[in-house]
């Protein structure tokens, strides 16, 4: 059996799955001030009368790091950044404790200016006096040669609790995004670590000696231990769970919209031929443009518990939420209350819901039913307006899926897949209003938790081979080996495959679920000096594609 848990802003959904069916499903309110007890409550209810030895896998998707970014609830971080000639890294400052330091490496990985060790020591002393505990180090061409980052870390190790280096972030070159990503890892580390250590302890108390997997933003999983080195990868894991929960119900050779209607927000995503769209550069949230590989999603501040109010006789829904719907004891009318008045939902206090909607109806000179219908229609319209704005924006630039780059492709959805508690009601209304085939996916109220539970481990590696210098390297993986002048594309692919398999196993994958590997980028350049060939530079990126683990196909029928 496996457990999947999706921690949302309003509710936390959890499922216990066997190979043939959903054994148990629970939904508990999310206490953002005490997420540990929220998840502990899920485990307690799922494992009632279940032998813990039967549990082989636990996957958690979380909004923890996402919320920390949105609420600016992050630790102050010290940043050491070196660039050398050509660009001033001060333009990418992450805040008060940001220091541009001596030293530079060029694009071929050769040192052009050394690190000033006394300068690093002096800055370290200043940062310690301010109480800084977490550090990021970024050198512009660290993916070609990380020696400066490693040296600076060696100097700083005795001063600080945790240090993150830029060359561990990605094999892609993008200096500003590498700085932002390294800063983000350091800033959310403490929050991430304390939360998952508490979860691990709760599992131990319940006799669960299984590895915890965390859903990443790219729709794949990684082990808890691995996430400690890259906590930023858990940003947007919640929306990724929704997408993974919808994929089995999309049609081949067809575009689909995925909508996860929660209590606080609605997450929006798209599938092309059952494949999720990919952020080609990395996650962008607010001022943070990162190198964190991610499925392409967006959120709108409207959900079942969004406040409904009137402004100049116009209905305003969201983006704020002040607790649950009035039908469940909340203080203000919401779209969920409208569903009660319309007779679509029945498991709450309809009379209380009607009180809230009646106030709106009275001001609009409508009956309660008419007002509730207007609220419901307006809620659907706001969500779909944002969705089609996203489609227009996506169609104005190249489209990338997790499998391929689709040059000149225009997204034209023929189906909408809905997840979330109110999905069945929204599906019917949206199809009625927009005449697009719309379905609530099976088990829509917990489909995101199912998506998390069944997601397989994903990862990618980037290799750079320089036959003139005689080296092949993937410094973010801690890998470098000598090569001969005859080193070829086939040799590079073989090396990349070996590295990718090893990385996947280290991230928590099992052998049965690492067979879908593919080359996503390949480049080759000749090195010529004085009209004479001196060697070649070969670069490759290879990935394990997002998808579902094997052995649980019956659940998705």
């Amino acid at each position: 059996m496996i457990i999947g848990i999706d921690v949302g802003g309003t509710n936390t959904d959890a499922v216990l799955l066997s190979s043939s069916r959903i054994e148990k499903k629970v939904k508990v309110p999310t206490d953002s001030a005490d997420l540990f007890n929220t998840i502990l409550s899920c485990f307690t209810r799922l494992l009632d009368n279940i032998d813990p030895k039967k549990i082989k896998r636990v996957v958690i998707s979380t909004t923890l790091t996402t919320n920390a970014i949105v609420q600016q609830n992050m630790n102050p971080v010290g940043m050491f950044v070196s660039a050398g000639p050509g660009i001033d890294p001060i333009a990418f400052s992450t805040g008060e404790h940001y220091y541009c330091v001596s030293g530079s490496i060029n694009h071929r990985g050769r040192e052009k200016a050394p690190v000033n060790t006394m300068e690093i020591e002096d800055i370290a002393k200043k940062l310690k006096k301010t109480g800084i505990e977490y550090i990021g180090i970024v050198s512009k061409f660290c993916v070609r040669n990380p020696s400066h980052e490693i040296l600076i870390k060696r100097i700083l190790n005795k001063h600080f609790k945790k240090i993150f280096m830029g060359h561990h972030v990605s094999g892609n070159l993008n200096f500003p995004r590498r700085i932002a990503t390294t800063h983000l890892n350091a800033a959310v580390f403490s929050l991430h670590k304390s939360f998952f250590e508490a979860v691990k302890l709760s599992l131990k108390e319940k006799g669960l000696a299984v590895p915890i997997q965390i859903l990443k933003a790219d729709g794949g999983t990684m082990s808890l231990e691995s996430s400690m080195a890259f906590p930023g990868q858990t940003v947007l894991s919640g929306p990724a769970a929704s997408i993974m929960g919808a994929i089995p119900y999309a049609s081949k050779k067809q575009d689909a919209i995925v909508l996860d209607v929660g209590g606080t927000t609605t997450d929006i995503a798209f599938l092309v031929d059952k494949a999720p769209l990919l952020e080609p550069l990395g996650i962008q949230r607010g001022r943070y443009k990162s190198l964190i590989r991610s499925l392409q999603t967006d959120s709108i501040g409207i959900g079942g518990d969004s406040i409904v109010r009137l402004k100049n006789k116009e209905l305003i829904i969201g983006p704020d939420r002040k607790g649950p719907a009035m039908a469940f004891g909340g203080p203000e009318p919401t779209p969920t209350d409208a569903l009660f008045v319309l007779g679509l939902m029945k498991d709450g206090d309809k009379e209380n819901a009607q009180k809230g909607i009646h106030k709106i109806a009275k001001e609009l000179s409508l009956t309660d039913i008419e007002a509730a219908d207007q609220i419901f229609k307006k809620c659907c319209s706001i969500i779909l307006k944002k969705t089609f704005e996203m489609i227009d924006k996506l169609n104005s630039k190249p489209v990338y899926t997790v499998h391929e780059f689709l040059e000149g492709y225009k997204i034209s959805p023929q189906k909408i897949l809905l997840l979330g508690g109110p999905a069945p009601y929204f599906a019917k209304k949206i199809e009625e209003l927009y005449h697009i085939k719309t379905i609530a996916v099976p088990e829509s109220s917990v489909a995101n938790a199912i998506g998390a539970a069944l997601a397989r481990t994903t990862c990618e590696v980037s290799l750079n081979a320089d036959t003139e210098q005689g080296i092949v390297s993937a410094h973010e993986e801690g890998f470098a080996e000598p090569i001969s002048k005859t080193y070829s594309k086939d040799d590079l692919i073989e090396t990349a495959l070996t590295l990718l398999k090893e990385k996947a196993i280290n991230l928590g994958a099992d052998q049965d679920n690492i067979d879908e590997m593919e080359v996503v980028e390949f480049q080759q350049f000749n090195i010529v000096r004085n009209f004479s060939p001196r060697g070649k530079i070969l670069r490759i990126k290879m990935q394990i594609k997002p998808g579902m683990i094997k052995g649980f196909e019956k659940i998705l029928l």
Side-chain angles (χ1 to χ4, degrees):
M1 292 184 180
I2 59 178
I3 288 174
I5 297 177
D6 178 66
V7 184
T10 304
N11 292 306
T12 294
D13 302 325
V15 291
L16 176 67
L17 308 177
S18 66
S19 60
S20 59
R21 63 176 185 170
I22 300 171
E23 299 290 338
K24 287 186 184 180
K25 55 184 178 179
V26 302
K27 186 181 287 281
V28 302
T30 300
D31 182 351
S32 56
D34 190 0
L35 286 171
F36 164 61
N37 277 318
T38 297
I39 291 185
L40 186 60
S41 174
C42 291
F43 283 131
T44 301
R45 292 169 62 179
L46 287 179
L47 296 174
D48 186 34
N49 295 322
I50 298 291
D51 180 358
K53 291 178 181 176
K54 290 184 177 180
I55 309 301
K56 302 300 180 189
R57 187 176 199 245
V58 176
V59 185
I60 301 173
S61 66
T62 173
T63 59
L64 188 66
T65 48
T66 308
N67 291 345
I69 294 169
V70 171
Q71 297 164 11
Q72 291 297 300
N73 180 27
M74 297 185 291
N75 285 311
V77 171
M79 289 294 295
F80 291 75
V81 181
S82 66
I87 190 167
D88 187 355
I90 197 65
F92 315 121
S93 174
T94 56
E96 180 184 356
H97 308 294
Y98 182 93
Y99 291 90
C100 302
V101 298
S102 305
S104 67
I105 303 286
N106 73 7
H107 68 286
R108 292 290 300 281
R110 296 183 172 119
E111 183 181 74
K112 304 307 279 183
V115 171
N116 183 334
T117 57
M118 291 299 294
E119 178 188 30
I120 303 302
E121 285 279 7
D122 288 344
I123 295 170
K125 290 171 185 174
K126 288 180 190 175
L127 289 172
K128 280 200 77 173
K129 286 179 181 176
T130 66
I132 294 290
E133 296 178 322
Y134 303 101
I135 297 295
I137 305 168
V138 181
S139 170
K140 184 181 179 185
F141 285 107
C142 56
V143 292
R144 300 285 186 259
N145 179 354
S147 61
H148 281 189
E149 290 186 355
I150 293 167
L151 174 58
I152 294 171
K153 181 178 185 293
R154 195 177 298 137
I155 297 167
L156 299 178
N157 271 334
K158 62 180 180 289
H159 297 294
F160 303 100
K161 280 188 176 179
K162 182 73 176 179
I163 298 171
F164 291 86
M165 293 184 288
H167 72 276
H168 287 158
V169 163
S170 168
N172 295 339
L173 284 173
N174 192 310
F175 189 38
R177 284 179 179 263
R178 188 177 305 280
I179 292 168
T181 310
T182 307
H183 174 265
L184 186 64
N185 276 328
V188 302
F189 172 77
S190 178
L191 193 65
H192 177 77
K193 181 174 182 286
S194 61
F195 175 64
F196 282 105
E197 280 184 348
V199 173
K200 201 168 183 179
L201 182 61
S202 72
L203 288 174
K204 188 176 180 181
E205 288 174 357
K206 292 190 169 296
L208 281 170
V210 293
I212 304 170
Q213 295 278 314
I214 298 165
L215 193 72
K216 301 183 294 175
D218 70 353
T221 68
M222 67 192 303
S223 68
L224 169 65
E225 287 71 22
S226 300
S227 74
M228 290 298 104
F230 202 156
Q233 290 205 62
T234 64
V235 175
L236 298 187
S237 80
S242 304
I243 297 169
M244 299 311 292
I247 287 173
Y249 309 105
S251 302
K252 288 187 175 180
K253 307 297 181 184
Q254 196 178 78
D255 300 345
I257 297 166
V258 178
L259 300 175
D260 185 354
V261 184
T264 308
T265 60
T266 294
D267 297 324
I268 306 167
F270 304 92
L271 302 173
V272 173
D273 191 19
K274 295 178 76 76
L277 299 192
L278 187 72
E279 290 279 7
L281 292 176
I283 291 171
Q284 179 177 348
R285 278 299 176 270
R287 68 187 182 92
Y288 292 95
K289 294 182 179 180
S290 76
L291 284 170
I292 299 168
R293 176 182 163 89
S294 169
L295 304 184
Q296 194 157 71
T297 67
D298 206 347
S299 296
I300 181 171
I302 188 167
D305 294 341
S306 297
I307 292 175
V308 178
R309 62 176 76 83
L310 285 171
K311 186 176 181 181
N312 300 324
K313 296 287 184 180
E314 182 186 354
L315 277 171
I316 307 293
I317 306 175
D320 47 334
R321 172 185 182 267
K322 292 186 178 178
M326 291 182 71
F328 300 113
E332 300 283 349
T334 69
T336 297
D337 294 310
L339 295 177
F340 272 92
V341 171
L342 292 169
L344 297 173
M345 291 183 71
K346 304 180 187 299
D347 56 347
D349 188 339
K350 181 177 179 179
E351 190 176 329
N352 213 34
Q354 199 137 13
K355 285 179 186 175
I357 300 301
H358 182 71
K359 287 192 299 182
I360 303 285
K362 193 173 179 181
E363 287 192 55
L364 291 173
S365 302
L366 298 172
T367 66
D368 292 353
I369 294 286
E370 288 170 338
D373 191 52
Q374 276 206 20
I375 291 167
F376 192 20
K377 284 180 179 176
K378 178 84 179 249
C379 194
C380 293
S381 297
I382 292 170
I383 293 168
L384 267 294
K385 181 175 183 289
K386 173 69 173 178
T387 301
F388 287 110
E389 285 173 358
M390 278 185 69
I391 291 172
D392 289 342
K393 188 176 178 181
L394 289 168
N395 283 341
S396 69
K397 56 188 180 181
V399 174
Y400 293 80
T401 74
V402 294
H403 302 324
E404 59 188 328
F405 162 53
L406 303 175
E407 187 173 6
Y409 191 84
K410 300 297 180 186
I411 298 167
S412 179
Q414 290 91 49
K415 185 188 282 188
I416 300 176
L417 302 169
L418 272 113
L419 297 82
Y425 320 118
F426 274 82
K428 189 174 180 182
K429 180 61 74 174
I430 287 172
E431 185 164 311
E432 177 189 308
L433 291 172
Y434 290 90
H435 308 292
I436 299 176
K437 182 175 177 59
T438 306
I439 63 166
V441 304
E443 302 292 349
S444 55
S445 66
V446 292
N448 42 13
I450 296 171
L454 298 182
R456 67 167 166 244
T457 300
T458 59
C459 56
E460 64 177 15
V461 295
S462 299
L463 263 75
N464 186 75
D466 188 325
T467 63
E468 184 188 33
Q469 293 189 31
I471 190 167
V472 58
S473 61
H475 290 300
E476 69 274 21
E477 315 301 337
F479 172 81
E481 279 187 356
I483 56 173
S484 69
K485 295 282 186 185
T486 59
Y487 193 82
S488 66
K489 178 182 178 180
D490 288 343
D491 296 323
L492 190 65
I493 290 173
E494 186 179 342
T495 306
L497 275 170
T498 301
L499 270 183
L500 189 61
K501 287 178 182 177
E502 288 176 0
K503 185 175 183 178
I505 296 296
N506 289 335
L507 287 175
D510 60 75
Q511 291 285 355
D512 292 337
N513 289 293
I514 57 173
D515 54 347
E516 289 200 46
M517 294 182 281
E518 63 182 357
V519 174
V520 289
E521 283 180 25
F522 177 76
Q523 297 173 318
Q524 181 172 309
F525 309 95
N526 291 322
I527 303 169
V528 178
R529 285 198 185 86
N530 299 323
F531 307 102
S532 174
R534 297 297 180 90
K536 293 178 180 178
I537 292 174
L538 302 96
R539 294 172 187 155
I540 194 171
K541 183 185 289 184
M542 186 171 277
Q543 71 165 357
I544 295 176
K545 296 185 288 189
M548 301 297 189
I549 59 174
K550 296 173 183 176
F552 292 82
E553 291 79 7
K554 289 181 181 177
I555 294 173
L556 303 173
L557 295 177

